[in-house]
């Protein structure tokens, strides 16, 4: 019924999340326990749904700069959320990604990527080059925890649009150009496969 669809304080789930979000983003509203639980659930679902979630330090970034970064993320179908560590850690645990908790120190942010996995990493890495107070700490990719260096390496892989453009150019160019593009594609594939191999080896050693 309607009461069951609402929290203990009579608010709908949408209102709970909106009020909790104001708290989560440092607003003046103090979130209730029910509101915090609703936000943790929402974050856990985002973590499980996103192909990649990047954790970054997010200190001394102006509101205007945050808006610029969010706009760039939207362009690649990614989403940035500044997170409160205690709630983010609970959400990560609920999503089966408790390892992310080790990356949640100081002010933190989650970047949820789309199917074009390198795109979110690339946007965040480029923006962090312009804003040194943003540091990429690591990421969760397909159940594997990536250290900062691997996320930055991932950011170097060209996006789909660039790959398509390079492939069209290569097919209309001498064979040397095609070989150059093919080498880049193979390099990205080797990196992705190596990450999977490392994940399997880590699981075997812990077993």
């Amino acid at each position: 019924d309607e009461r069951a669809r609402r929290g203990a304080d009579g608010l709908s789930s949408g209102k709970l999340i909106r009020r909790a979000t104001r708290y989560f983003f440092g607003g003046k509203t103090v979130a209730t326990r029910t509101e915090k639980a609703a936000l943790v659930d929402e974050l856990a679902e985002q973590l499980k749904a996103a192909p990649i979630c990047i954790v970054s330090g997010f200190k001394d970034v102006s509101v205007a700069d945050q808006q610029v970064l969010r706009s760039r993320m939207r362009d690649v179908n990614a989403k940035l959320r500044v997170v409160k560590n205690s709630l983010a850690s609970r959400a990560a645990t609920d999503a089966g990604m408790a390892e992310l908790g080790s990356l949640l120190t100081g002010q933190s942010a989650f970047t949820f990527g789309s199917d074009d996995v390198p795109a979110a990493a690339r946007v965040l890495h480029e923006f962090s080059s312009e804003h040194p107070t943003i540091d990429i700490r690591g990421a969760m990719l397909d159940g594997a925890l990536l250290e900062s260096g691997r996320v930055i390496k991932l950011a170097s892989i060209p996006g789909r649009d660039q790959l398509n453009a390079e492939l069209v150019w290569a097919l209309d160019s001498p064979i040397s150009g095609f070989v150059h593009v093919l080498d880049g594609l193979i390099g990205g594939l080797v990196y992705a496969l190596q990450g999977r191999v490392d994940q399997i080896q880590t699981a075997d050693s812990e077993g």
Side-chain angles (χ1 to χ4, degrees):
D1 60 9
E2 180 65 18
R3 179 65 181 178
R5 229 177 20 88
R6 295 170 178 266
D9 52 6
L11 295 176
S12 67
S13 59
K15 289 183 179 179
L16 287 173
I17 290 172
R18 285 194 295 273
R19 285 184 58 182
T21 299
R22 289 198 297 271
Y23 163 78
F24 208 56
F25 280 88
K28 295 181 179 179
T29 301
V30 177
T32 67
R33 181 177 300 178
T34 304
E35 291 167 347
K36 291 178 184 178
L39 189 52
V40 167
D41 289 344
E42 183 193 20
L43 276 172
E45 289 304 313
Q46 285 184 302
L47 283 167
K48 289 186 283 189
I52 185 172
C53 176
I54 306 169
V55 180
S56 57
F58 208 75
K59 184 176 66 174
D60 299 330
V61 182
S62 69
V63 173
D65 285 337
Q66 290 183 41
Q67 292 174 342
V68 170
L69 178 55
R70 288 194 170 92
S71 176
R72 294 183 188 179
M73 287 297 179
R74 284 195 295 271
D75 290 341
V76 296
N77 296 319
K79 185 173 184 178
L80 175 82
R81 293 193 72 163
V82 179
V83 296
K84 185 173 177 62
N85 291 339
S86 59
L87 301 186
S89 181
R90 285 169 51 190
T93 299
D94 290 350
M97 304 176 186
E99 301 94 328
L100 287 177
S102 64
L103 306 178
L104 297 169
T105 59
Q107 190 166 5
S108 307
F110 278 163
T111 297
F112 300 102
S114 62
D115 290 336
D116 187 359
V117 170
R122 187 166 53 253
V123 169
L124 186 59
H125 180 50
E126 291 173 353
F127 196 81
S128 68
S129 298
E130 304 166 9
H131 302 80
T133 58
I134 297 177
D135 63 295
I136 298 175
R137 298 173 180 167
M140 186 66 72
L141 172 63
D142 192 26
L145 185 66
L146 303 183
E147 62 181 14
S148 175
R150 285 192 174 275
V151 179
I152 294 173
K153 178 66 175 177
L154 185 65
S156 68
I157 299 176
R160 291 176 179 175
D161 291 344
Q162 182 180 345
L163 287 175
N164 289 337
E166 289 185 1
L167 186 58
V168 169
W169 170 83
L171 291 174
D172 195 38
S173 301
I175 190 65
S176 60
F178 177 76
V179 170
H180 172 74
V181 172
L182 186 60
D183 181 63
L185 291 172
I186 292 174
L189 178 60
V190 167
Y191 168 75
L193 290 175
Q194 183 60 51
R196 181 59 177 164
V197 168
D198 290 347
Q199 178 188 1
I200 294 173
Q201 288 176 341
T202 300
D204 289 343
S205 63
E206 292 177 349

